[in-house]
Amino acid sequence: MPRQPPQKGNTRDEERGIERGVALRAGFYIFGTHLFAGFVWLLFYLGEHAHK
């Protein structure tokens, strides 16, 4: 028995879901990048002020 393609609902609802997913993913990437940059900055700061 051949598979039937999933029935599409309202295209406007689908587009909103895609836009929301992209915005959520972009937010995570931006937050993660800033978190990583802060960690690298902290390492440089601690290395500069280390007692040698």
Side-chain angles (χ1 to χ4, degrees):
M1 184 170 189
R3 295 171 110 194
Q4 295 179 352
Q7 295 179 355
K8 293 193 174 193
N10 191 352
T11 33
R12 182 172 283 180
D13 291 339
E14 290 176 8
E15 289 177 9
R16 282 186 190 158
I18 292 171
E19 289 176 6
R20 185 176 179 194
V22 169
L24 190 62
R25 193 175 305 126
F28 280 128
Y29 288 154
I30 291 168
F31 176 75
T33 302
H34 281 81
L35 188 66
F36 179 71
F39 177 70
V40 171
W41 177 84
L42 179 66
L43 290 178
F44 276 101
Y45 180 81
L46 293 175
E48 182 179 335
H49 292 85
H51 298 288
K52 297 179 182 178

